[in-house]
Every structure is written in C-alpha cells, then in structure tokens.
Amino acid sequence: MALYGAALFAAIGLSVFLLRAKAGLYLFEFGDESEKFVAAQMMLHGMTLYRDIFAHHGPVSYIIAHLYAALVSPTDFSYIRWVMVILALMSAASIYLSPSLKNTPARLWTVGVFLSLLSSIWVLQGIHMVLYHQIGGFLLVVPVTQLFVPLLLGDTPRKAGVVFSGLAIVISCFTAYSFGPTSVLLVLACLILVFTRTGMAGFRRFALYFTAGLAIGLLLLLSWMSVFSDLKGYLVYHFYFNQAVYSRFIDFSLADVKNVFKLSFTPATTIHSFVLVGFVSWLFVLASRFFPAADNKLRFWGSMAILIFVFAIALVNPRGGIGIHDAGFVILNMSLFALSAALCLQSPRFSTPRASAAQIVIGAMATIVAVLIFEQVSRHGISSPHQTPKNELRQHVVRMRPADAPVFEFIRSVSKPEGDMLALIFNPGVYIRSDRRPASGHYYYLPWQAAYNKNSVGGYKIDICKDIAERRPSVIFFDDWKVLQTYPIDEYEPCVPAIIKDKYTAVGNGSQLYLRSDLLTADTKSHQAEDMRLQPSPQLSTEQPLKLSMTTGPASQKGLKRIGIRFGTYAQQNAGEAELRLVRADGTEYRQIFPLSDLADNAYRHFDLDGSSYVSGQIIGVSGGGVSTWESHATNGEVLTCLTYEYADGKLGFTSGCPLY
C-alpha cells in the first residue's frame, strides 16, 4: 500500500512537472537569458568570451548555451530550457538517493513533493530560464541532500555522493562567484560534522573523495574556458567588474541578506513568504531528529553546523531580492522541505506486512495538503521578472529563433549575417529573431559598462564607439530608455547617440530602427519629415485603379531591382487578381499580375523589377478589389504612396512618414 501510493504520487508529480515544463519552453523572453544565446553564436564564429565578448556573469550559463548551439542548433534556441528540466530532475534524483532515506516509499514521496512544488512556480519564479540563480540552486541540492543532511542525521554518505557533491559545488562557484560564500560555509558545516562523528580517519576519506569531485569539475570547466574564453578576462570582468563597478549601481550590501527572512504577502512576495514557512518546517524536522540522538559534544558541534548551514542557505540570495534573484533560495528550501516530509513519513514498519495504514494515510494526506496549499498560493503570485499573474502566462509565448515578423525580415533584407547590426541599449533577443550577429563585443550597452571603460584594467576594454565607427553596421536597433529610470545613454556614453544622429537615419517617424545614411538615396534622406500622417487610399476595384504616387528621385533612378508597396486589406482575404503597371522613362510598361489573396494586411508586397528607371505607376483591378495602398499625407497637401525602393548598388529608398515593415 505504501509503495503503490508513493509511486502513484511520484508519477503524478513528475507528469504535472513535465507538462508545465514543456509549456514553459516558450514563455517570456528575458534579456539576461537571451544574451547568453547571442554570446554562444559569437563564440561559434571564433570570438572569445571575456575578451572579444563582454560578459560579467560566470561561464556556466555561457557553456550551456554554447554546447546547445554547437550540438543542437546555432539559431533556434526554442528548446534550450530543457536543460533546466534536466537539472531539476537531477536534483530530484539526488534527493531520491539521499542516504537519509531508508526505503523506496519515502524516496518516491520526496520526489513527488519536490516536483509538485517545483511545477507550481516553474514559470512564476522564472525557474524555467537559463540563469545562474536557478542553475546554482539546482547544483547545490546535491551536497545538501548527499552530504549535510545525512551527516547531521548520522547516516554515512556514499562515495559517489561525496564525489558528485564536490563536482556540483565547484560548478556552482563557476556559475556565479556569489555562490562562493554559500559553498564555503556548506563545506565547513559538513567538515565539522564529519570530524565530530568519524574523527581524523573519516575526515581524510571524506576529503579524498570530495577533492576528487572538485578536481573533476575544475578540469572540465578549465578545459572549456582555455579554448573558448580568456581566463584573465574572466577574473577582470566577473570578479573585479562586479565587485568594484556593478555593485555601485545596484547598491549591494551584505546586510541585505536579512531581507531573505522578511515576511510579506503582496503578489510579488507571496511565494517567498510561503517558502519561509517551509524553511521553518524543514529546520524543525531536522533539529527534532538530530538533538534527541546526540551526546553533548555532538550537540554543540552539530548546533554550530546547523547555524552555519542556515546562514549558507540565506547567502544563496545575498541581495535579499525576490523573483529570479530568489530562485536558488526557493529551490533549496523546496528540496529540504520535500526531504523532511519524507523523513516524517519514513518508518521501518512501511516495509513489513504489519505497516500502520493510519500512519501512512495521515502522513500522506498531510503532505498532499501542503502541496495543494502551495499550488493555491502560487495562483496569487505574479511572475518574475514580467509581473504577470499565473492565469495569464500562456499569453506570452516567444520562440527564440529567427522570426518572420516584418521588422526582422526587413533587418535581414538590409544587413549581412555577420557583424552588420547592433541592438542597443539592451535587446539581445533582436539578434536571435533577426538571425544577425553583433558588430561589437558590447552587443548591449548599460551604464556599468561605460563606467568600467572609463577606468578599465589589464587592457581589457571594448570601445563600442570605435566599433561602430570602424565596422559601420548597416542597422542599429536603438531602444533609447533610462536604465534603472536614472541613466540615459546620452549621459553615460554620449558618443553612441551622437554617431547615430550623424551617420544614421530613422526608418520612419518614432522608429527604433536606424539605417546607415549612406545606404539611402539622396532624395530619401532629404525628405524626412515630422508632419506626415498615414491614410489609406480609396479601395481598388475593376473600375477604380490605384495610382502610385512615387517619390521622383528614387523612382527615376536607374538600377531599381525591387519595389515594395504597402497594402491594407481591412483584415480580410480578398479574391481575384490585380496588375502592377509601371511606366518606364522611354514610355514602355512593366506589367505583373498578382493574386489579391497573397496580400497581408498593413504589410509590404515586394515586386522584382528589371533595373529600369520609372516615371509613374498604377495598380489595375483585373478580377477583384477591396484593397487599398497606404499613403503618407503631408500638411502641404503632398500625397505619396508608401513604397520602398531597392537598387542594384545596394542603396535603399522609402517614402517619408511610412513604416518600412
């Protein structure tokens, strides 16, 4: 009965978790995650992390992205979050294999509890994202469940568990150096317990296997870093930069760790507060099992180890933040809560025919109720970092791969794949969806990067303005906003907006896309106006053709190889055919019939031409109508059809006041 019930509960927990994890593959984009994907693409093309590519996070998340790009897909990152699912299942396996669990029903119960709790907040807390907070949290589950809890309760850690704990700890430290204090304190607490319980002989055996795990982890990490990253640059950007520069902008203080224990039941903090309830629960369970069986000496040193361990868990979130910053703290506490729940259910009598059914049922029901309460609580939280309620999560599907949206198709049409665009200030997802590589190692640019560049060390400096001036990217996606509502880029790096203003032209009023001005025809650059408005033309019919009011300069210029016409279909699909007629300078006509059903609403339809110059044009309704062209109306009465012009020499033209995509 105990085994079947526990197996059923574990199967349900696993199924729910996998279903929610699958749904989370495509939910939300977060720049801190997608910038790792862009860096991975740059590394595939020969650039070096921490030297050619700016990065101030630890290498592990970049390693994950790089391996995915090399082994799965260099452009489609839609499935990379399965890595987080694997890490979660690895943590569940570590809990299942904890030496403190003595029978299969208890092991299955703890897996069911852990995965059920995790599924409730998988997307809500951003645990589905490839970020260092989450990665480190899952890794640290291994030494917590394989070393600390067994040592505290008098169970002997397995050799493999000690080795994998050393491996997990060293990888967590390379995930982010902020996990270093937690790792040191966790190891110290384990060493105290090892020495107190087993003496010097046991201490030496433990140190041998633990050091072997550390060595394996270091070997793997340094092997990758020696090829794809700069080791000195890693020290400069990850340690010096974060500690000396970045910490000033986030006002970091170690005293902030006290906020970890702050109770609050606002939507943003509800999950954290209920995790604190779990924190008290597992601490009580472990203490109630340790103290009654310990002698005075062991009680003293065990108390010290518990205090150190509690502080280590708190330091997983040294900034005392909520949301994604809280992910590691949440993961560790859920694993400890699940393990303590299994300890409560665990009894030698479970494996005998005389098992107490009442004990099993009461314990199981209490566990299930705790999981259901946590699930209900999660419904009142909001997601991090997007502040979206749980019932609205499915509305935010974003696939991290090249997209066919008009803006990204346009970027691809006017730029080369390698080093021909920048997305500033912080829009790394644009590179992925437009399938373009950055023109600078500063593929985003925030105030702390500028502050460091003013006082760089060791020769590690990437000059973004020099990169823009020398590499002259065709396209700059420039989302100009105040970072932290305080720092505008024209103050922290004024050369960037100055170059954009001097050398680039916006592709429409209010657009975030800027094209290099020398790519545009002279007529196009001279007709950028602020006082134009868009209106649809009269609708096409067999009796009513649509005149194309063309900008004189671009239309008559020789070498016109393609023209785009922006149509409006009134959100419907129209039947029949129409014919484009363009009159050449010599009086002859270019004609092309096209189906109206192919037209997209508020989008350009492109027509390949023969390189002639043209003086006028119109669209004739052959067997249908109901569509319009978009027009730009100036205050002086001038009306121009929204057209784009592409020339054999690479230059572009477009109608002033019209969007280009």
Side-chain angles (χ1 to χ4, degrees), residues 199-354:
M200 183 57 68
F203 183 89
R204 288 173 179 168
R205 286 194 300 272
F206 175 87
L208 175 65
Y209 291 109
F210 187 78
T211 303
L214 291 177
I216 294 170
L218 277 173
L219 179 63
L220 293 173
L221 291 164
L222 293 178
S223 296
W224 182 92
M225 294 181 70
S226 65
V227 177
F228 300 105
S229 75
D230 186 285
L231 293 175
K232 183 179 177 183
Y234 163 63
L235 298 176
V236 170
Y237 283 125
H238 187 51
F239 290 88
Y240 171 80
F241 177 92
N242 281 327
Q243 202 62 41
V245 181
Y246 183 58
S247 61
R248 301 201 309 263
F249 288 88
I250 61 174
D251 296 324
F252 172 73
S253 169
L254 193 57
D256 293 336
V257 74
K258 67 179 184 298
N259 294 328
V260 168
F261 300 104
K262 184 183 295 183
L263 280 171
S264 173
F265 293 95
T266 64
T269 59
T270 297
I271 300 301
H272 178 83
S273 296
F274 271 82
V275 167
L276 285 179
V277 174
F279 174 90
V280 174
S281 300
W282 66 253
L283 186 59
F284 174 79
V285 171
L286 293 184
S288 66
R289 273 157 175 70
F290 168 73
F291 285 105
D295 58 28
N296 290 336
K297 179 183 177 182
L298 185 57
R299 286 184 183 181
F300 174 79
W301 289 109
S303 299
M304 294 296 296
I306 290 173
L307 288 174
I308 292 171
F309 180 72
V310 167
F311 193 41
I313 297 297
L315 281 178
V316 170
N317 184 5
R319 293 164 64 175
I322 57 174
I324 58 170
H325 299 290
D326 199 31
F329 180 81
V330 169
I331 290 167
L332 283 172
N333 276 281
M334 288 194 302
S335 68
L336 284 162
F337 178 82
L339 185 56
S340 65
L343 290 173
C344 292
L345 287 171
Q346 186 170 267
S347 169
R349 290 180 294 169
F350 279 16
S351 58
T352 68
R354 301 176 61 184

Side-chain angles (χ1 to χ4, degrees), residues 140-164:
L140 289 173
V141 169
V142 177
V144 166
T145 57
Q146 292 296 312
L147 296 186
F148 180 79
V149 173
L151 288 169
L152 183 70
L153 301 183
D155 301 306
T156 303
R158 300 182 182 93
K159 295 176 183 178
V162 179
V163 172
F164 278 105

Side-chain angles (χ1 to χ4, degrees), residues 557-569:
Q557 184 173 320
K558 290 184 178 181
L560 185 61
K561 67 174 185 178
R562 197 162 81 139
I563 191 170
I565 305 171
R566 188 175 179 86
F567 286 96
T569 67

